[in-house]
Structure formats: structure tokens, C-alpha cells
Amino acid sequence: MDQTLEKPSRRLFLQAGAAAGGGLLLSFNLPGEVRAAGAAKPATLNAFVRIAPDGVVTIAAKRAEIGQGVKTTLPMLIAEELDVDWAKVRIEQAPVDAKTYGDQWVGGSTTTPDEWEPSRQVGAVGRALLIQAAAQRWGIPPASLVTESGVVIDPKGKRRAAYGDLVEAAAKLTPPDPKTVPLKDPKAYRIIGKFHPQSDNDAIVTGRPLFGIDVRLPGMLYATYAKGPVFGAKVAKVDLAPAKAVKGVRAAFVVEGQAELDGLLPGVAVVADSWWSARKGREALTIAWADHLTASQSSASLAAQAAALAQRPPQRVLRQDGDVESALAGAAKVVKASYDYPFLAHATLEPQNCTAAWKAGKVEIWAPAQDPEEGRKLVATTLGVAPEAVTIHLTRSGGAFGRRLMNDFMVEAAWISKAVGAPVKLVWTREDDTRHDFYRPAGWHNLSAGLDAKGDLVAWRSHVVSFGDEKDFARGAEIDSTQFPSRAVPNYVQAVSTLPLDVPTGWLRAPGNNAFGFVMQGFIDELAHAAGQDPVAFRRRLIGDPRVLGEPGKEDTVDTGRLRGVLDRAAQMSGWGRALPKGSGLGVAVHYSHRGYVAVVIEASVQDGAPKVRKAWVAVDVGSQIVNPSGAEQQVQGSVLDAIGSTLRQKITLENGAVVESSFGDFPLLRMSEAPPVEVAFILTDNPPTGLGEPAYPPTPPALCNALFAATGKRIRSLPIGDQLA
């Protein structure tokens, strides 16, 4: 098939055996499980190694690359334990197959903790097989041999054998149990912990086809898909003739769709020889949309309902420690505040897109997806085929941030391809992307806290108004009742009331934390000032002695020693307490999320009523090892800049059931001229390595707002900041 973006190679072989053209192929199925087999047969893999006779090593990355760097870091883990020359490593994207691979989704900063040990075991088993092959050749014990950069060495006999010379023999051996193969001492690492450019960098900077939007297939048509401004509204009336009259348009038709907001919604498809023709055909249409029950929804009405609920007793209590009411009644000072934040769109730079080819009851898909197996299920169910009839190829994503965990764009492309009987590439417009997202839910937090005569926090009460029903939260609107300072305050209540919502919501970078960090660290800053204490010193007292809050071994525990460690490092990096020019201020926040501890200090000022972010300092603790410092630093910097942009100006507004904002003009991203320097420091601790895509985001909005308070004396309790300081 002649494609500009080629399919991932299908010449990949399951289990241990000879690779095409000679060499060793090693693969494992589910994490930690390495398999052996006889004759190698074409198959899909989970993660694998292929070693050619010339010493070139091909490693497949099993999970999707969405900009977080896993297409480089996962092969680094394998290559390190395999003990090869990184310059001789070639990287491929593995095909999609849950039965062979296990989990291939990406999100929640889970890839590093999930793959840290299994990926290294794959490399270690491969090294053990090569050593065993050399030992048999030389008639000596395997334990007497060592490896270095793709070579097995006999130190005593001064013999050397390149991996490429051993692969044929190694391919015939039975792999050992991976649990019995020792892993390297971190002190011996040559690849892990070193700066390596991302594997796709050259293709990205030279503009070579790489992303989903780049896919080309023979005979491929292009499609656009118009959906109602009110989510789920059906087509009441449309004249398709104007679209069909546009030069290049091949077809235009109504799709009845379904009611589920995360599936195939009703709409009108236009298919043409070029995407521009498809768009012009769509613009020629005048579509009357049927009335929909949710047309009365608006941001203003939701805020009014939330304000009314806040005055009533909470609908349910999620956590209660001690006696909050008595502690508040006896407090030397009580502080109250209300915080709120808006719906947010993901604003991926590459709009949603998918290429689908339906043929003979099967569909082949090329998509920038975060959760391809869920996409397979959705397509199979909607098209009425077996999941085995759906083949998915992962392409690189031009940003995801949680948006591509949903697969609505995938099922739209598949449906249109089936309808026209030809390969189709569906590309959303920027307006589609903004108005048909799965939004970070808005929320309203009503807080009260009590301070004793020493300024210590003795009581905390929170009544959150979120979205959902009596039992369940809307997607992405969940309240985590274990977030700090929960369990650090003797008297603590987390209560909630929920509003019904018919807007598609989802997970945005650092879900469950991206907004709560703003609320909790903003309010803690207020308490520090009410207590007459320095904000860093107040947080140190609140964090207290090193200990584990919660049940050890559970993900919702908080290690106060690690929390204090990043706080102190960020304060030291920024020169906390130093004199600043008039009108400038330092703000601090510290937060634990997605198994990572991060503290952020921001220096900011206000110029002509507009906030100016001058610099950010970030201290990060994600365990004992940073796999690729280059990618890690970029992830932290990207999170901070992303969060600054959303804090300054981003919001999604609902009117008459529809989204008002349409593009970057009214949902602006941070501009290069606004981006401050972001200095990053990693603190290595004796804990398993964890991910970096999320944890630096949550403390950034409060650090910025706290800095602006220090500069102006004006407290920001509602996001975005907008013109509140004008």
C-alpha cells in the first residue's frame, strides 16, 4: 500500500526465535512475562527486541507517543539492560493488540511506573541469552562473561563476540525466567539517566510525515463532519444540494447517530477529493438542528444553581475527621473563601483526526489515540462488527492532554468510510475541536478554616459543588477527599453537592488535581497571611515531620518528607525571602498528584493591569531515577507553561446549550513572548520512578495567583485571571 506515512512493520515476531534476515528476536507478552517458542511466525507484539547480524538493534515501543517521550524512554529501558550501543538502536511503534500487548493506553503518568521493571527485564533476558550463546561457543560458564555495548566479553580468555555474531545461536535457546535475571546496578547505567533526543525529533523539525494528520492512502478521500452546536442535537432539516455542487465534493449525507455523548453523534458528513473542498462543501450547507432538552444550559445558570446549593446543607459527605464545627467555634480566627474555575478545552495543536479504510466487512484505522483498545470497542459496537474486524495503527499525536482518551473522531471516520466504501481521512476544524471537546468540568468550592492562637490550622471545612447525580460524579468531576491537607488537619470535612450536566466532560492534564491544586494551595496561602506567617514557613508547619499520611502502600498516601523536600528546594532555588522590586511578588505552592511531588515558586508582577510572569522555579520528586533528563525537563516545563496559559485567560463558556468559544482567538494559548524561563530541579529519593506528564501542572496556577497577591494585595479566587487586576 502506497502511503506517505507507512504502516508499522508487520515483520515482527512473537517470542524468542530467529528474526527476518537472521538474528535474535525477543518479545514478552504481558508485563513481567517473557515467552519462548520454536519457529518464529509473523505476529503482533507487546514489547520486543530484534537484533540483526550487523549489530543493529530494533526496539518497539508498545505505548502511544503523545509528546510525553515514551517512544524513546521505553526503548531506553530495554537497551540499557540489553547493554547495547544506543547509537545502533532503531525504534518502531508497535502495532495495537491488547491480547498480545496488554495495556497500550497512555495517560495519568502511568507508563513509567507500569513499565519500569518489565521493560528492563526484557533487555536483561536478551542479554542473558547472548551470554549463554557465547558461553556455549567457548565452553565456559556464563557467569564468567560480561557484556559491554553490544559485545560479550571473556575477561580471562580475552575473547570478544559481537551480539550480531551470536544471535543465530541465541535464537535457539530457551529464555530464563525474567525474575531470576539480575538487573543492572544504577551506577552502571550508560543509557538510563543520560540526555537523549526524542526519537522523532528529526522527522518533526524537517516536516516529514509522522502524525495522524499526515496519513495518506491510495484512493483516499477527505471528510468533514458537522455536528449540532447543542450536544447530541439531531438534524431537523438540511438541503444537501449546495454541498454536492461544490467542485471536488463526492458525497454529502446525514448521519442519524446515537445519544451517547462519547460515541457517534448525529451530524452531516461531506466527503471530497481534498479537505478544502470538503470544508467548502460543509460551509455551503444550512442545517436546521432539532430542539434539544439541554439547550437551556448556560454557564450563568450553572453558576447560579451552584451558588444556591452552596447555601444549603451538602448532599453528601466524602470524608469527616474530628469535630469541625466545635473546632471552628473555638478557633482564634476563622477564614472563609469561595473559589471557582471554568470548563476548559484541551486545545491540542493537532486537531482531532482519523484515517479509516472499510473493506469487505473490516475496517483499518490510523489514529493519534491515547486509548486505542477502547476505540476498537467503540468502532466495533457502532459498526456492528467483531472487534477482530477492526485494525488500529497508532500514529504520533500532536498533543493529547487527555483529549484523545475519547475516540469519537475514530468512530466518525470509520462510519463515513463504510458509508462511501472508500478510505477516508476525517480532519476536524479548529472550531470543531473547541466546540466538541470533552471539557475539564467547572467547579465551585466553599471553604472555611480555623486557626488557633499560635496560627496553626486546626479545622478545615470544604463544600464543593460539582457535577453528577446522587451517587456518581460526571466524568472528570470526581473529588479526591485524600488530597493534602486532608489527614494533616485534626478536624477536616470534605462535602459535596452535585448538579446534573449534559455537557461532554473528560480528563485534562492532571485530572482531579489541575483545579483542586489552585483551590487548596490558594486557600492555604490565605491562611498563612491570616496567621501572619510567611507562606513557605506556614506550609512547613502544616506539612510537619516526615511521615506517611494514609495507609502505606496505597496510591492516595502522602509522604510529608517528600512534600517538604520539594518545598524547601523550590524556596532555595528561587531565593525565597529576597527583596523584590515594587509591584513584584513571589508565590509558592506544593502539591502531590499522580505519584509525584512538585513545588513551584513563581515571580510575577502587573504591568498596565496585565499579569507578567517573570520566572518559575520547580522542584520535582518522582523517585529514584529520571529515565531521560531531556524529556523529563521538557515535560515539567511544558506542564508549567500549559498551566500558566490556562490560568491567565482560558475558559469555555456555555450559552443556550452550546459552547461560545471557537478557536485560539477566544480560547488563547500562552504566546512565546509570554513564556517565562522555567528552572527545573529533580530530587532523587529512594522510591520507584514515576511519571512526569501531570504532577507539575496543579501547583502552578496557585503559585501564580499567590505571586500576584504578593505583588498587588489582590486575591484571585476565580479563574481565569483575565482582567481582574486591571
Side-chain angles (χ1 to χ4, degrees):
M1 183 174 286
D2 180 18
Q3 299 168 219
T4 303
L5 177 60
E6 296 181 356
K7 293 188 299 181
S9 172
R10 305 297 292 181
R11 295 188 64 79
L12 310 176
F13 297 88
L14 182 65
Q15 304 159 355
L24 168 69
L25 180 103
L26 175 72
S27 70
F28 72 102
N29 188 18
L30 297 178
E33 180 183 350
V34 177
R35 293 186 174 187
K41 298 179 181 180
T44 54
L45 304 174
N46 177 12
F48 62 88
V49 176
R50 187 169 70 246
I51 304 176
D54 63 0
V56 172
V57 180
T58 301
I59 302 177
K62 99 175 202 182
R63 301 208 187 197
E65 176 58 62
I66 60 175
Q68 83 284 42
V70 298
K71 191 176 177 181
T72 304
T73 56
L74 293 184
M76 285 175 63
L77 297 178
I78 296 172
E80 180 66 75
E81 293 293 343
L82 188 61
D83 206 1
V84 295
D85 182 352
W86 182 248
K88 291 187 176 182
V89 171
R90 307 293 180 263
I91 297 174
E92 293 179 348
Q93 182 70 58
V96 176
D97 185 346
K99 292 180 181 178
T100 302
Y101 292 88
D103 286 336
Q104 287 183 273
W105 76 286
V106 290
S109 295
T110 58
T111 297
T112 295
D114 287 353
E115 301 295 336
W116 169 248
E117 184 170 286
S119 291
R120 288 184 300 142
Q121 286 177 334
V122 169
V125 168
R127 186 181 74 248
L129 289 171
L130 292 160
I131 288 175
Q132 187 178 351
Q136 289 182 354
R137 173 183 292 187
W138 296 328
I140 58 177
S144 66
L145 302 178
V146 296
T147 62
E148 182 178 341
S149 297
V151 177
V152 179
I153 302 169
D154 172 16
K156 293 183 179 179
K158 298 182 179 180
R159 289 174 287 192
R160 299 167 62 89
Y163 284 1
D165 295 332
L166 297 168
V167 290
E168 294 295 340
K172 301 174 183 178
L173 301 174
T174 299
D177 182 342
K179 296 178 181 178
T180 66
V181 180
L183 299 175
K184 278 187 179 182
D185 185 322
K187 295 177 181 178
Y189 286 164
R190 296 188 178 95
I191 297 173
I192 294 175
K194 305 299 188 292
F195 282 79
H196 295 288
Q198 300 298 312
S199 62
D200 292 333
N201 279 1
D202 184 62
I204 292 172
V205 299
T206 58
R208 296 204 302 273
L210 182 67
F211 298 90
I213 205 169
D214 296 325
V215 173
R216 303 287 189 276
L217 302 178
M220 185 179 77
L221 301 176
Y222 296 79
T224 59
Y225 191 56
K227 290 178 285 191
V230 177
F231 304 104
K234 290 182 173 292
V235 177
K237 184 179 180 181
V238 62
D239 180 4
L240 300 173
K244 294 178 178 179
V246 173
K247 184 178 180 181
V249 170
R250 297 284 195 94
F253 51 90
V254 174
V255 178
E256 290 298 321
Q258 301 163 339
E260 292 79 7
L261 294 181
D262 54 358
L264 180 67
L265 291 180
V268 180
V270 179
V271 183
D273 294 330
S274 70
W275 186 80
W276 185 249
S277 293
R279 176 166 182 169
K280 298 305 287 185
R282 170 177 163 176
E283 291 173 349
L285 294 172
T286 300
I287 307 172
W289 300 96
D291 293 338
H292 199 276
L293 293 174
T294 60
S296 61
Q297 287 186 140
S298 71
S299 292
S301 67
L302 292 172
Q305 293 176 65
L309 280 178
Q311 300 304 313
R312 303 171 191 166
Q315 293 171 352
R316 62 185 188 270
V317 174
L318 302 181
R319 183 181 187 91
Q320 183 166 353
D321 298 325
D323 187 341
V324 171
E325 298 308 317
S326 295
L328 287 172
K333 184 176 290 188
V334 174
V335 181
K336 297 182 178 182
S338 295
Y339 283 71
D340 65 85
Y341 42 86
F343 293 97
L344 282 183
H346 294 82
T348 60
L349 289 182
E350 179 192 22
Q352 309 317 307
N353 67 90
C354 178
T355 300
W358 171 273
K359 185 177 181 180
K362 297 182 179 181
V363 62
E364 194 166 5
I365 289 170
W366 291 259
Q370 286 185 255
D371 197 349
E373 281 300 336
E374 287 302 310
R376 187 199 304 274
K377 295 175 186 176
L378 178 63
V379 170
T381 300
T382 307
L383 270 60
V385 299
E388 294 75 20
V390 182
T391 300
I392 298 176
H393 305 288
L394 286 174
T395 66
R396 187 181 175 104
S397 297
F401 317 119
R403 172 58 179 92
R404 302 184 204 270
L405 287 167
M406 315 307 293
N407 294 287
D408 48 335
F409 54 93
M410 190 184 294
V411 75
E412 289 171 3
W415 183 274
I416 295 170
S417 177
K418 181 181 179 182
V420 299
V424 168
K425 177 158 73 172
L426 171 72
V427 180
W428 287 23
T429 65
R430 180 61 60 192
E431 291 79 8
D432 293 336
D433 216 35
T434 304
R435 291 176 170 165
H436 287 282
D437 202 343
F438 290 83
Y439 305 98
R440 192 282 305 273
W444 298 265
H445 293 238
N446 306 280
L447 301 149
S448 300
L451 300 168
D452 65 14
K454 297 183 295 182
D456 289 336
L457 179 59
V458 294
W460 178 290
R461 180 176 63 199
S462 175
H463 179 189
V464 182
V465 180
S466 185
F467 296 104
D469 55 31
E470 294 180 356
K471 295 181 179 180
D472 300 314
F473 288 102
R475 184 189 291 119
E478 298 86 355
I479 308 299
D480 184 354
S481 63
T482 64
Q483 286 194 356
F484 188 83
S486 172
R487 300 170 295 191
V489 182
N491 305 288
Y492 187 96
V493 166
Q494 176 65 69
V496 65
S497 297
T498 52
L499 293 169
L501 184 69
D502 289 290
V503 171
T505 59
W507 302 280
L508 184 138
R509 195 173 203 166
N513 293 268
N514 51 47
F516 304 158
F518 159 66
V519 172
M520 305 183 91
Q521 285 293 310
F523 191 50
I524 287 174
D525 212 67
E526 292 200 50
L527 298 177
H529 286 277
Q533 297 181 23
D534 173 83
V536 169
F538 183 83
R539 285 172 173 81
R540 285 174 176 154
R541 288 168 63 90
L542 179 58
I543 291 170
D545 295 331
R547 65 199 188 283
V548 173
L549 301 177
E551 186 178 342
K554 295 292 184 65
E555 283 191 23
D556 62 3
T557 60
V558 175
D559 186 325
T560 61
R562 299 177 72 182
L563 206 62
R564 173 70 178 269
V566 293
L567 175 65
D568 287 348
R569 183 63 178 275
Q572 178 268 325
M573 291 166 64
S574 66
W576 184 267
R578 59 187 165 86
L580 294 172
K582 185 178 180 180
S584 294
L586 288 176
V588 64
V590 60
H591 193 81
Y592 166 74
S593 78
H594 295 81
R595 293 181 271 196
Y597 296 79
V598 180
V600 177
V601 173
I602 286 180
E603 181 178 344
S605 62
V606 177
Q607 296 178 350
D608 300 323
K612 173 68 175 178
V613 186
R614 300 193 174 279
K615 188 170 181 179
W617 296 266
V618 190
V620 182
D621 175 358
V622 286
S624 61
Q625 183 66 61
I626 303 299
V627 179
N628 185 357
S630 174
E633 185 177 59
Q634 292 165 13
Q635 281 297 295
V636 174
Q637 292 171 333
S639 289
V640 170
L641 296 177
D642 192 9
I644 289 173
S646 67
T647 303
L648 290 175
R649 289 186 297 274
Q650 291 177 4
K651 66 176 179 179
I652 288 295
T653 309
L654 296 171
E655 288 184 8
N656 301 318
V659 170
V660 174
E661 290 75 19
S662 63
S663 188
F664 294 152
D666 48 14
F667 191 83
L669 303 186
L670 190 71
R671 294 180 178 272
M672 291 290 288
S673 60
E674 300 172 305
V678 180
E679 183 179 330
V680 181
F682 293 105
I683 301 174
L684 301 183
T685 57
D686 189 19
N687 296 280
T690 56
L692 272 168
E694 265 90 5
Y697 189 116
T700 300
L704 172 53
C705 293
N706 294 340
L708 292 171
F709 171 79
T712 67
K714 184 175 180 61
R715 184 67 67 179
I716 302 294
R717 301 188 183 96
S718 180
L719 294 184
I721 295 170
D723 59 1
Q724 294 183 61
L725 299 174

